[in-house]
Structure formats: C-alpha cells, structure tokens
Amino acid sequence: MKLSFCTDSLGQLPFEAMLDRLGELGVFGVEMTTGGWSSAPHLDTVALLQDAGKRRRLLAALESRGMKIAALNVSGNPLDPGVLGEKHRHDTDNTLALAASLGVKKIVMMSGLPPASPGDSIPNWITYTVSWPPTLKNCLDYQWNEVAIPYWQRLVDKAQAFGIEKFALENFSSMLVWNPDTLFRLRDAVGPMVGLNLDPSHLIWMGADPIAVARRLGDAIHHVHGKDVRLESGMVAVNGLLETRPVEQVADRAWNYVAVGCGQDLQWWKAFFSVVRMMGYNDWVSLEMEDLTMSVDAGITTSVDALKHCISQ
C-alpha cells in the first residue's frame, strides 16, 4: 500500500505549493476533490474539462514531482431532492468526464441519502428501527428501491462508458451506505464496480470494529482513508455515542476526529492495515486530516509519521 493525501486538508495552499509540501512530507499520491461538499480548492473541474492545456499542465506538475492522482473525490449527497442534490449530481457527472480525460480510474463518493417519501424535502437517515412506527419500513424501501438503486444503476452505466473502474463509497453517517450490510445491498443491485472507501474513524464511533469490517468486505475494499477518532473518556459514558454538537466544540463532544495515533494506538493501526492487506487491498491509503484539537500542520505531520510506520507494503 502507498500513502496519499486528501488535499482539502491543505486547501489554504495553492496547488503547486500544496504538492511541494506533500513532497517534503514524503507523500506522493493525491486524492483531489472536484465538488460536492468541497469547494475543490485545487481543481477547477469545468475549466479543466474545457482546456486540454490546463489538464496537461496539471499532470506535468504531478509528474515532475513523482506524484500520481490516487482518486478524484466528489463526496456529497446526489440523492438530495433539492438544489443541493442537483448540484452534487452535476458535479459527479463532471467528475466522471474529468477522470476519463486525466486517466483516473477510481472515484471516491458517498452513496447519498434521499428523503423518506416523495413529498419530503429533507433527507432522512433511518437507523434506529423500522418496527415502530411501522411506516418506516415503507420509507426505507422507498429510499432504496425508488431512489438510490435506480440512480446508481444509471451512474454505473455512465461511469463504464467513461472507463471508470471503481467507485469507493465512504462509510459516512447520514448516508444510505454506512456499513458492510448497506454496501452489499447496493453492490448486489448495481454490480461490483461499487465498493467501500473504508474509513475506520466513522466505524469506530458507530460502535463497529474496522478490522472485522475489513474481513467482511474482502475485495469490496476499493479505497482506504487513514483517519482516526477518539471516544472521549467520561463523555461517552454519560451521553452515549450519538453526537449532535458542532465538530468545533471539541471539549464538549462524546467523540472527535483526531490525528492518526491520537485515538487508536499504532499497534491497532498496524493490525488494521495488516488485515486490509491480507484481504487483497494493495492500493492507496489517503490521509484525511480533520483534527480540530491541534493545528493543521501538527495534525498532518503527526498522522503522516504514524501512517508511514503502520501501512503494510
């Protein structure tokens, strides 16, 4: 496996300055955002699609530094029924076209989350039961069978026409795909192009064991994020794992995203990557640094150092 970097974490730097900083850290893969939730600070997707010269200069800047694009990332909610969903679907379509023109074969996304019925305007994450009220079962069936599966069937067909090989869906909360069972429900319906972007941080705060998850996924692991989380001592015991406080309120939350090694120790990370490699994955591991308990630079350097010690070659 090789270390790459989700470039939004250095979004304050211009493109080539960002590449130079990664080179200083010994990181030679980039996972670059093209839209969705992200402002895409380093890629103007529309401009790149319109100008072959800009695409050549982008690739030359990477090649001159010995770097490669690990994936394009267009994480968002393409199943939102409003203006947001329309934008994210448009961004996704543009990302497929850009990937084809750059020779990128892997797209990192989120599955999306629809509302619970055709008349609703707000996406609804149904997680606690479908037994009461019993209408929730119908709502979940609507989300999957009438919205998500038809959209993803169309998107897979479109991606194949562009030569895309893999979608890697992040197991993020408030998405229809957030664990192995939900991933396989979609994968069984639309085919093996869809797999998981295995992000252990989300699984841990939701109470799952990422090592067991890796074993369950097998060849459905399409990408991996190196991202840690810490369950805050005392806070979880009082309030549980469900958390609605803003991520900036780090001192008051039950859990926080932290630099790699500041949640799980390095022995845990070594075991995690060992099992991921054992399951057949031997591709990029992208650092996604969202630790708000320290400076961005400290979080990045801490995480890069930890991942270099733990990733299985």
Side-chain angles (χ1 to χ4, degrees):
M1 288 183 274
K2 301 166 290 185
L3 181 57
S4 58
F5 186 83
C6 298
T7 57
D8 274 19
S9 299
L10 286 173
Q12 78 279 8
L13 296 179
F15 174 61
E16 295 209 30
M18 177 270 295
L19 296 182
D20 289 338
R21 178 60 181 136
L22 292 181
E24 292 170 0
L25 292 166
V27 178
F28 296 98
V30 288
E31 179 181 327
M32 305 193 71
T33 52
T34 56
W37 302 123
S38 171
S39 63
H42 299 114
L43 290 187
D44 185 334
T45 303
V46 173
L48 286 166
L49 284 172
Q50 294 173 345
D51 190 331
K54 288 183 178 180
R55 296 195 300 272
R56 286 193 295 270
R57 288 190 290 274
L58 181 148
L59 293 173
L62 291 163
E63 185 177 356
S64 68
R65 295 167 173 84
M67 294 182 174
K68 294 183 178 181
I69 299 176
L72 296 182
N73 186 317
V74 65
S75 293
N77 186 2
L79 305 184
D80 184 281
V83 173
L84 180 75
E86 183 178 356
K87 176 190 180 299
H88 288 186
R89 290 189 294 274
H90 181 68
D91 289 347
T92 299
D93 290 344
N94 280 345
T95 299
L96 299 182
L98 181 61
S101 67
L102 295 175
V104 176
K105 301 298 184 182
K106 181 161 61 178
I107 308 296
V108 177
M109 290 183 62
M110 295 173 182
S111 64
L113 180 74
S117 71
D120 293 347
S121 60
I122 303 296
N124 192 325
W125 194 36
I126 300 170
T127 58
Y128 74 104
T129 183
V130 293
S131 298
W132 184 89
T135 52
L136 286 177
K137 173 65 166 60
N138 296 331
C139 293
L140 201 59
D141 288 343
Y142 163 78
Q143 289 180 310
W144 278 99
N145 299 329
E146 297 187 41
V147 183
I149 289 174
Y151 170 77
W152 276 98
Q153 286 172 332
R154 294 191 298 271
L155 191 64
V156 163
D157 288 344
K158 189 178 298 184
Q160 288 174 332
F162 279 114
I164 306 301
E165 295 177 357
K166 292 182 178 180
F167 284 110
L169 306 187
E170 185 171 346
N171 47 278
F172 189 69
S173 58
S174 299
M175 291 285 135
L176 273 186
V177 171
W178 50 275
N179 65 7
D181 279 358
T182 51
L183 182 277
F184 283 117
R185 180 170 182 176
L186 184 62
R187 184 179 169 95
D188 289 346
V190 305
M193 179 183 282
V194 171
L196 204 70
N197 168 27
L198 178 55
D199 186 322
S201 66
H202 308 312
L203 293 164
I204 291 166
W205 79 253
M206 287 190 279
D209 176 353
I211 295 175
V213 167
R215 289 181 181 275
R216 172 74 176 92
L217 290 170
D219 64 3
I221 301 173
H222 281 186
H223 195 61
V224 177
H225 270 177
K227 184 176 173 184
D228 208 345
V229 72
R230 183 172 61 237
L231 307 185
E232 301 295 359
S233 179
M235 303 297 288
V236 173
V238 172
N239 289 320
L241 291 169
L242 300 181
E243 182 56 83
T244 59
R245 293 176 183 84
V247 294
E248 294 82 6
Q249 293 183 13
V250 290
D252 301 318
R253 288 172 53 88
W255 56 268
N256 289 295
Y257 297 123
V258 292
V260 176
C262 294
Q264 324 315 304
D265 63 26
L266 296 195
Q267 181 58 40
W268 184 93
W269 279 100
K270 289 176 182 178
F272 170 72
F273 286 122
S274 176
V275 172
V276 168
R277 179 68 185 90
M278 186 170 66
M279 292 298 101
Y281 184 81
N282 191 26
D283 203 348
W284 298 99
V285 175
S286 285
L287 167 60
E288 186 179 23
M289 218 301 291
E290 295 183 357
D291 190 331
L292 300 182
T293 72
M294 61 178 73
S295 70
V296 172
D297 189 65
I300 291 172
T301 54
T302 297
S303 298
V304 167
D305 183 61
L307 289 169
K308 282 183 175 179
H309 280 90
C310 298
I311 287 176
S312 298
Q313 302 299 322

